[in-house]
Amino acid sequence: MMDLNSVVEKVLEKSDTRLETIYLVACGGSLVDMYTSDYFINTEAKELVAGLYTANEFNHVVPKKLNENSLVIICSHGGNTPESVEAANVARRHNAQSIGLTYNEESMLFETVDHKILYEWGEDTSVENNPMAIILNIVVEILHRQEGYAHYEAFKQGMHQIDDIVKNAQDQIQERTDQFADTYGKEEMFYILGSGASYGHAYGFSICSLMEMQWLHASAIHSGEYFHGPFEATDHSTPYILLMSEGPSRPLDERVLKFFKTYAKKYEVVDAKELGLSIIDENVSDYFNPILFYSVLSVYRYKLSIVRNHPLDTRRYMGKVEY
């Protein structure tokens, strides 16, 4: 399999002129891994445009701008998700290049895409080698080579720092996550709030960690949208998890916390600044929040699964019935 820089070089060499659009296509947790990259491009790029699509919608509602100046990045953990494999076929039919990411070297996805990236998976792997960080690295590299990215070196330095930050944060929260699980182990509904690049992981924690893995009701709310309807449901009986980002959208999260302190009772604050992310350059820190939050919230969901006696890999529909 090609390494990341080789893949980027091949993509840019094959492009007729310059890439105009990057489509980030996946399902479930793999789609969540792409949110940060979509946010990065649409925040930092002057010309390049990104689009984030759940695979089946991409296949049925094909973007009109999909063409030879497009790159489709497709991620499928096992590499055999039918909708994601078909997305590679859609890209090919429209003369767009495709990159496929999976941890399964024998996957159907690898039989279909133009460029292949095999990523590592497991507790002992570096977070830099997991799909969220890999995809972010790809789009940063493409943007830098096409348009220039003023904070490229700061971003690269952040990638070197994030693994230690994550490990320290996971050590730091062990007692806190035990207390969280004991306190909220019998709850059946959670609201998850976040902003900036982290909103994607608020969504991901709700649909994957809580709904899929724990069969709990959950919903993500953007911190900026909380005060435009959702805050009316705030009371002392409903639990909230607030992801407080480090970076330019932090004031949105702080505003929510201020309201919680007056009108809510059950809320857990996961603060990236408290967990050490502030050592990363402030110009790029926002893009590392989700990497930190994913690893930290993985501890939260594990501790919750123990208290609830509901293993994280238990399913009643996925892979068991026709759907």
Side-chain angles (χ1 to χ4, degrees):
M1 305 303 155
M2 296 183 187
D3 64 25
L4 186 151
N5 286 326
S6 296
V7 168
V8 171
E9 287 173 7
K10 292 289 184 182
V11 167
L12 295 179
E13 284 174 9
K14 191 174 179 181
S15 178
D16 290 342
T17 53
R18 290 159 62 90
L19 287 178
E20 297 174 353
T21 50
I22 296 179
Y23 294 102
L24 300 149
V25 181
C27 303
S30 295
L31 183 65
V32 171
D33 284 340
M34 295 177 151
Y35 186 92
T36 307
S37 296
D38 176 73
Y39 187 88
F40 169 82
I41 289 294
N42 289 321
T43 299
E44 301 289 353
K46 297 176 182 177
E47 298 177 3
L48 188 63
V49 175
L52 184 73
Y53 281 82
T54 186
N56 214 20
E57 184 166 334
F58 180 81
N59 299 337
H60 285 83
V61 190
V62 181
K64 294 294 190 294
K65 291 181 69 173
L66 180 65
N67 58 31
E68 65 275 8
N69 298 122
S70 301
L71 171 65
V72 182
I73 302 177
I74 306 161
C75 186
S76 172
H77 189 54
N80 296 315
T81 304
E83 298 93 333
S84 298
V85 174
E86 177 57 20
N89 290 321
V90 170
R92 180 167 295 176
R93 289 197 294 270
H94 288 79
N95 301 313
Q97 294 188 71
S98 59
I99 298 175
L101 297 95
T102 177
Y103 84 105
N104 178 12
E105 191 169 1
E106 306 299 323
S107 68
M108 290 188 292
L109 183 63
F110 274 179
E111 297 175 5
T112 317
V113 295
D114 298 315
H115 311 285
K116 308 169 187 177
I117 295 179
L118 186 71
Y119 60 77
E120 300 175 5
W121 195 253
E123 292 183 2
D124 297 329
T125 61
S126 166
V127 294
E128 189 177 357
N129 295 323
N130 287 341
M132 190 189 309
I134 292 172
I135 297 166
L136 182 58
N137 260 316
I138 290 171
V139 299
V140 169
E141 196 66 37
I142 289 173
L143 181 67
H144 182 60
R145 295 188 187 202
Q146 280 208 168
E147 300 183 18
Y149 176 40
H151 306 299
Y152 178 77
E153 294 302 330
F155 174 82
K156 287 297 184 183
Q157 179 63 23
M159 274 294 175
H160 290 307
Q161 296 171 301
I162 190 62
D163 202 57
D164 286 338
I165 294 171
V166 164
K167 290 176 182 176
N168 290 337
Q170 288 178 320
D171 290 340
Q172 183 179 335
I173 62 167
Q174 291 302 318
E175 184 176 341
R176 184 169 183 170
T177 51
D178 286 334
Q179 183 178 353
F180 171 85
D182 289 340
T183 302
Y184 297 108
K186 293 183 179 180
E187 298 287 348
E188 295 295 329
M189 173 71 197
F190 290 86
Y191 289 111
I192 320 300
L193 291 92
S195 66
S198 299
Y199 174 69
H201 200 63
Y203 169 76
F205 190 70
S206 65
I207 71 161
C208 295
S209 296
L210 297 181
M211 297 181 78
E212 176 188 341
M213 297 181 182
Q214 288 299 291
W215 304 354
L216 291 169
H217 296 285
S219 181
I221 304 172
H222 194 287
S223 297
E225 283 294 284
Y226 173 69
F227 294 101
H228 300 277
F231 75 145
E232 285 293 342
T234 304
D235 55 30
H236 285 184
S237 63
T238 306
Y240 292 84
I241 299 173
L242 173 62
L243 307 182
M244 289 193 61
S245 294
E246 179 74 315
S249 71
R250 185 177 177 87
L252 281 69
D253 306 322
E254 292 176 332
R255 184 184 179 197
V256 172
L257 179 58
K258 181 180 178 181
F259 190 85
F260 279 174
K261 287 179 177 179
T262 303
Y263 298 106
K265 184 176 181 181
K266 297 180 178 179
Y267 58 90
E268 178 76 3
V269 179
V270 185
D271 188 342
K273 178 179 286 189
E274 177 188 326
L275 295 173
L277 200 72
S278 56
I279 70 170
I280 291 180
D281 190 300
E282 63 180 3
N283 292 298
V284 299
S285 59
D286 193 19
Y287 308 119
F288 291 91
N289 286 306
I291 299 174
L292 173 63
F293 285 144
Y294 171 78
S295 297
V296 166
L297 289 176
S298 292
V299 181
Y300 274 88
R301 75 184 181 195
Y302 172 72
K303 296 293 183 64
L304 198 60
S305 75
I306 297 300
V307 169
R308 299 185 71 248
N309 193 28
H310 187 116
L312 294 171
D313 58 358
T314 300
R315 303 290 184 272
R316 54 183 164 189
Y317 304 122
M318 189 174 288
K320 295 180 178 293
V321 302
E322 186 175 348
Y323 53 89

